[in-house]
């Protein structure tokens, strides 16, 4: 716990009418235990890490005030979105101030003429998507948590989703940012135009920086016209190898579906528990495919083309949705996967690696072997089109967690050894900070620390994230209040 | 001129068998005036700035040697590609070492399975495109100079081109980089996978950094399947306003053509000199449109759809190419524009602004007014789909250049005032460094200088580019050896 006097002084300073930035209304500076508690957790399974204060700014000027007070009192600041992250990026690891963006949730403008929109960071991703669709527009990134996650969190983690294959990840849609820095500046990076190359790409540097450089207070997005039609198909294969071969054939034919979701045998068996289909007895993998576009006939024609291309490798019939109800059936099968896996084994630790697409079968094989060696079943699924796989180590008892973590460590190393990465879309956060050096080397990690120091010389922004702790500090910061 | 002793020592050190990195063969360290001369110019009209030495490394290790020697002797290093840049980014402004990447011109691998390729920086863009097409693949960025420019230069300047509307700019295709830093490290940034979010996006920071942070020695590109069919149309309008309205209607209908090139009345009048078409007497603008895809019928269907959408605003018939010869005719009309403009006025200064698409008519009007006030005709053309306009101030006598530059300054300010940028795709380089603060503000420019210092603490990498010179130094560095 921090010195109570410092915290009281900081809380008072946040509410003072004078000083840099704008003062916060008293009820938006919270220090009661029941107020702090919800801000100590996220969806990462990495325990509870309580902040000392929760502050709820409503403007960039208020965010600047928070950072000024934090800098004066050397208090850590953790920017917090919807707490839906899976890598612990928003856990207030070192206590201090939990800076929640939940009240900065306005869509500022949507410009169909320019195909752009400006938003505050606390807008829920799914709400934003629905709103731009009313204007005939399309915001493609679709992280699994889109019904609850915030756009600011998506920017901080550079979120992806199934549609990334055709449409790219969050980064591809961020034209410009307004960012409050811990040194006091309010920056406007990037541009309001589709193109622009003036100076360094600070916008890209902030996207995916996991709240370690500053606080994003406004985002300008690029949008697309909304594709009017979508076609969906489900194909079952005997093995992941067969599925991978079929996927390569589709891409080689010049078709880029908007979704190419792979399920391995364990994942498929779990799905089979509630699926409206009876999968063939020799089913060892499945792929969910979607094409989209503006012309209904053409979109359906493309999915039929895909079905023809994969038929040779498929086991049994290719299921092409003929209407919206059938389309929903296919997606429900995929969406119930997580629940069905938990019915097999109550606990799971989910990984988020990416490998070059040609290495997918090898990677799925390796994860299975690693799991088996440690005595665990592994279910792998993910975005096969771009090589991003979620390997889920399934287990039954909390006391097995250390062994599960050892298996996960081997899986991460195997991904890097195959030319891949430890995180395709979830971020490093707390969960993977000890693996970053294995992927990038000491020199590159040291360089990134020096870059962080340019933005955050006092080291108050989301400490303990992305980068491994210095040797001496190890252990302390990683421990939660379970 | 630099001290001859220092230069001799540096040249000797580059050729030494011992020392960091690999030694260069003597003939690849050049100091004769006739060897230096070609490396002092580019396509920017900013005069000749001679280097003291030209070095031609053939490997990353040799590049590391050059940087080590430069650091030891505090010699400026200017990385040089094909010298096709239009903003002076590759001019050895402060002398020192011209580090030409022309001998590092190998395509290292092309992987159709992974849709990726690895190249050295000296590969000619057009050569690379032709090579990947042999594998059924597609590298979309198409800067105008693609027959001569290098991929390394494209990365340094984040080059665009007409197809950026649908396919994005160079940045969107760079997955990872190998970069030699002036501090000695050889970094491998980014990833070999389509997705990946580990750590800060150093790759994006290097893309567009104009050789001021380090020397790119290898690039990993993402590729797409090659679209098999292209359809082309040319539409004439009475005014830029009519053209802009038609373009908005096309995009609102959900069609994203791969090309949407706008010509204003002056540009169109120049084109008319050699075009195989007789344009209507009231022609005040034209738009060149291309759609692409895999299905010939569908692609042709889409261009017909576009023709229908723009017909209401068009003046006269929409010309849709029915075959390859007609397609070539349309492009020839566009490609001869520069030559035809020079036939009207022998000199021109070309600008590269971008504005939000909805402001295009206003921007074209403003450039014309600014030109007229200074007594010059302005021809504007460019990539209307993404708001990137090339405003060409036409003039007859070299002594008018200062007045032309004053007009250009006003055009750049007007673009920023409309929410746009001083450079859509050519980079800041030397040409626009004095306008960067107007767009980004002092604080953001100061922050970028601090970032540069992290990579280049001695300030030897391409000095004098992107950022304005400190007050005291002004004037000296900007002068050429005309």
């Amino acid at each position: 716990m921090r010195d109570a006097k410092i915290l009281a002084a900081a809380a008072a300073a946040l509410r003072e009418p004078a000083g840099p930035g704008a003062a916060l209304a008293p009820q938006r500076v919270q220090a009661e235990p029941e107020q702090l508690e919800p801000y100590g957790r996220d969806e990462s399974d990495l325990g509870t890490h309580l902040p000392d204060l929760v502050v709820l700014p409503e403007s960039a000027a208020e965010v600047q005030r928070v950072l000024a007070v934090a800098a004066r009192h050397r208090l850590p600041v953790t920017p917090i979105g919807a707490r839906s992250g899976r890598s612990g990026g928003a856990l207030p690891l070192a206590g201090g101030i939990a800076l929640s963006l939940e009240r900065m949730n306005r869509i500022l403008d949507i410009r169909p003429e320019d195909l752009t929109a400006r938003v505050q960071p606390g807008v829920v991703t799914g709400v934003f998507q629905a709103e731009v669709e009313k204007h005939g527009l399309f915001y493609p990134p679709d992280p699994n948590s889109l019904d609850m996650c915030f756009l600011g969190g998506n920017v901080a983690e550079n979120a992806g989703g199934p549609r990334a294959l055709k449409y790219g990840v969050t980064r591809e849609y961020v034209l410009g940012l307004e960012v409050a820095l811990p040194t006091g500046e309010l920056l406007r990076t990037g541009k309001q135009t589709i193109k622009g190359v003036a100076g360094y790409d600070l916008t890209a540097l902030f996207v995916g920086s996991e709240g370690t450089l500053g606080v994003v207070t406004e985002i300008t997005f690029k949008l697309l016209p909304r594709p009017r039609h979508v076609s969906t198909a489900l194909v079952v294969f005997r093995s992941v190898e067969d599925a991978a071969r079929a996927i390569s054939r589709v891409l080689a034919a010049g078709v880029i579906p908007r979704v190419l979701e792979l399920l391995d045998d364990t994942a498929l068996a779990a799905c089979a528990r509630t699926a409206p289909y009876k999968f063939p007895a020799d089913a060892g993998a499945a792929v969910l495919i979607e094409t989209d576009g503006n012309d209904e006939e053409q979109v359906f024609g493309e999915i039929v083309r895909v079905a023809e291309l994969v038929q040779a490798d498929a086991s049994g019939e290719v299921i092409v949705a003929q209407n919206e109800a059938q389309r929903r059936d296919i997606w429900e099968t995929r969406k119930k996967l997580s629940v069905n896996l938990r019915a097999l084994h109550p606990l799971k630790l989910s990984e988020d690696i990416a490998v070059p697409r040609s290495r997918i079968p090898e990677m799925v094989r390796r994860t299975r072997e690693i799991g088996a060696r440690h005595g665990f079943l592994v279910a792998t699924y993910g975005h096969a089109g771009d090589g991003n796989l979620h390997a889920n180590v399934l287990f039954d008892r909390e006391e097995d967690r250390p062994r599960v973590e050892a298996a996960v460590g081997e899986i991460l190393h195997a991904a890097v050894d195959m030319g891949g990465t430890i995180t395709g879309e979830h971020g490093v956060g707390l969960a993977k900070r000890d693996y970053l050096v294995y992927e990038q080397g000491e020199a590159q990690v040291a360089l990134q620390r020096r870059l962080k120091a340019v933005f955050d010389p006092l080291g108050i922004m989301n400490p303990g994230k992305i980068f491994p702790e210095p040797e001496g500090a190890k252990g302390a910061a990683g421990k939660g209040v379970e």
Side-chain angles (χ1 to χ4, degrees), chain A residues 260-284:
Chain A
L260 262 182
E261 292 286 290
L262 174 76
L263 305 169
D264 78 351
D265 54 350
T266 309
L268 188 59
C271 284
R273 294 167 50 89
T274 57
Y277 317 106
K278 195 165 157 38
F279 296 121
D282 63 351

Side-chain angles (χ1 to χ4, degrees), chain A residues 39-114:
Chain A
Y39 294 90
R41 287 190 309 269
D42 66 2
E43 296 291 318
S44 68
D45 248 1
L46 291 166
T48 300
H49 302 264
L50 291 181
D52 295 304
L53 289 175
V54 171
V55 298
L56 304 165
E58 293 183 349
S59 68
E62 291 187 357
V63 172
Q64 287 185 282
R65 162 70 64 107
V66 177
L67 294 178
V69 169
R72 198 189 316 149
H73 296 281
R74 301 290 191 274
L75 287 174
V77 177
T78 305
I80 292 186
R83 287 165 275 146
S84 56
R86 304 190 72 91
S87 56
L91 293 175
L93 201 57
I97 295 174
L99 192 166
S100 171
L101 280 314
E102 67 199 72
R103 300 211 175 189
M104 293 179 65
N105 62 355
R106 282 187 306 130
I107 297 174
L108 301 170
D109 64 32
I110 296 173
R111 302 186 187 205
E113 286 284 291
D114 292 321

